[in-house]
Amino acid sequence: MKKKLLIIIGVILVVIACLIALYFYGLSPVSKDNEIVEFSIASGESKKDIVDALDEAGLIKSKISAYIYVGLHRSLNLQAGTYELSPNMSLKEIMTIFDKGDIANDTETFTLTFVEGRRLTNYASMIAEATNTTAQDVLTVMSDKTYLQELIGKYSFLTNDILNPEIYYPLEGYLFADTYEFYKDSSIKDIIETMLNGMASVLNDYQEDITNSGYSIHEILTLASIVEQEGINGADRAGVAGVFYNRLAANMSLGSDATTYYGVKKDFSDDLYNSEINDNNPYNTRLASMAGKLPIGPICSPSRESILAVLEPAEHDYYYFVADKNGDTYFMKTYAEHEVKVSELQASGLWYEYN
């Protein structure tokens, strides 16, 4: 009986080994032929369709191995475009080219530069212009629950936090601001996922710091987005982050004007009415009910510098700061000191006026 069991186990192991060998064999190059073959991915084309097309073009050995590979590497972003491939490329090499968007030199592309600290509505307008759609079309895609669930399954840093119905824009703060090159037929989703890949790359650099912070990624990006707008001078951001951590620890409200503006959907170029300062929304951290709490989500796209400032804040005993209209930041320990500084800024014409 024991001998039969060992034989069965041995057979199973041999079968498994053969299947693994077949899988890796299927990922190897079709041949040593270095002939250049043009291969195009259409905007919105599924990974299955792309694998099928690669098989039809004779560029891969096994569709089954390819299906398994893309299934195991769900973060792959197979970007639309025309590529120059060769039968001597392995499947991994081909998928890497697609993921990086290394399209053929003669393929028409366009470049978009997204500025950090801007809101998602600003990005939506830029994407709309580039894709010949409307900003509302872009925001609709970005708010589609089915698509958001797909993204949560694809990106480990996206969680159900973004599905909270009180959040204005689910992907606010998650699209990393940078300069990107896109294929002329790139879809809204292509652009969204390229920017999410940018954020994934940044967060991956600080994975250990994020784990040790005691905060979720959603909370880190939320606080970083506030620091981005409050710490106009990059050198002050670690200090601003330190103030916010001190206030959270002391069960004080953050009192961030930036969150108040966002909560009532106003820009900094506008003044706030007292009714707006006291508006009861889940972003307004000037409310007493927000003591010791972060807003419900990010208020803009934070830069790498602001994310780092939140992960490595300055250690001090300041609980207040103000920034003037020139972007200079002043730190204070007490509310009395804060009031004195505000009065000085008002007298010099450097304070934001409220109506």
Side-chain angles (χ1 to χ4, degrees), residues 227 237-239 241-242 245 304-314:
V227 170
R237 289 176 186 168
Y245 278 123
R304 177 186 287 268
E305 290 73 21
S306 290
I307 293 172
L308 184 58
V310 168
L311 294 172
E312 298 180 1

Side-chain angles (χ1 to χ4, degrees), residues 160-295:
N160 288 333
D161 288 323
I162 68 172
L163 300 179
N164 190 316
E166 291 191 288
I167 287 180
Y168 292 172
Y169 306 105
L171 293 179
E172 184 80 84
Y174 286 89
L175 303 184
F176 189 68
D178 204 343
T179 297
Y180 299 96
E181 187 174 28
F182 300 102
Y183 181 58
K184 65 178 180 180
D185 291 331
S186 291
S187 67
I188 294 171
K189 290 184 179 181
D190 290 333
I191 296 174
I192 290 171
E193 292 176 37
T194 296
M195 297 179 75
L196 287 172
N197 289 340
M199 180 60 78
S201 178
V202 171
L203 294 177
N204 186 59
D205 290 341
Y206 304 113
Q207 196 58 57
E208 185 176 349
D209 292 324
I210 293 170
T211 301
N212 295 334
S213 72
Y215 288 85
S216 68
I217 291 178
H218 186 72
E219 292 170 327
I220 291 293
L221 292 180
T222 297
L223 187 52
S225 71
I226 303 172
V227 170
E228 180 71 37
Q229 292 201 334
E230 293 282 9
I232 299 174
N233 185 337
D236 296 331
R237 289 176 186 168
V240 170
V243 168
F244 287 141
Y245 278 123
N246 288 346
R247 293 179 73 90
L248 288 171
N251 199 37
M252 299 170 65
S253 63
L254 297 186
S256 165
D257 287 342
T259 66
T260 308
Y261 274 97
Y262 187 88
V264 294
K265 299 184 179 181
K266 271 194 168 183
D267 295 323
F268 281 115
S269 58
D270 300 320
D271 288 328
L272 291 174
Y273 292 93
N274 284 321
S275 60
E276 293 172 324
I277 294 173
N278 297 311
D279 187 71
N280 186 17
N281 64 71
Y283 289 95
N284 188 2
T285 62
R286 291 177 66 106
L287 301 174
S289 60
M290 292 293 285
K293 299 178 183 177
L294 291 168

Side-chain angles (χ1 to χ4, degrees), residues 227-237 240 321-331 345 350-352:
V227 170
E228 180 71 37
Q229 292 201 334
E230 293 282 9
I232 299 174
N233 185 337
D236 296 331
R237 289 176 186 168
V240 170
F321 71 88
V322 292
D324 63 24
K325 286 189 174 182
N326 294 328
D328 294 323
T329 306
Y330 309 87
F331 295 92
L345 294 176
L350 293 174
W351 181 249
Y352 290 98

Side-chain angles (χ1 to χ4, degrees), residues 337-351:
E337 292 175 353
H338 170 80
E339 287 292 279
V340 169
K341 177 54 68 176
V342 169
S343 296
E344 291 177 0
L345 294 176
Q346 288 174 330
S348 58
L350 293 174
W351 181 249

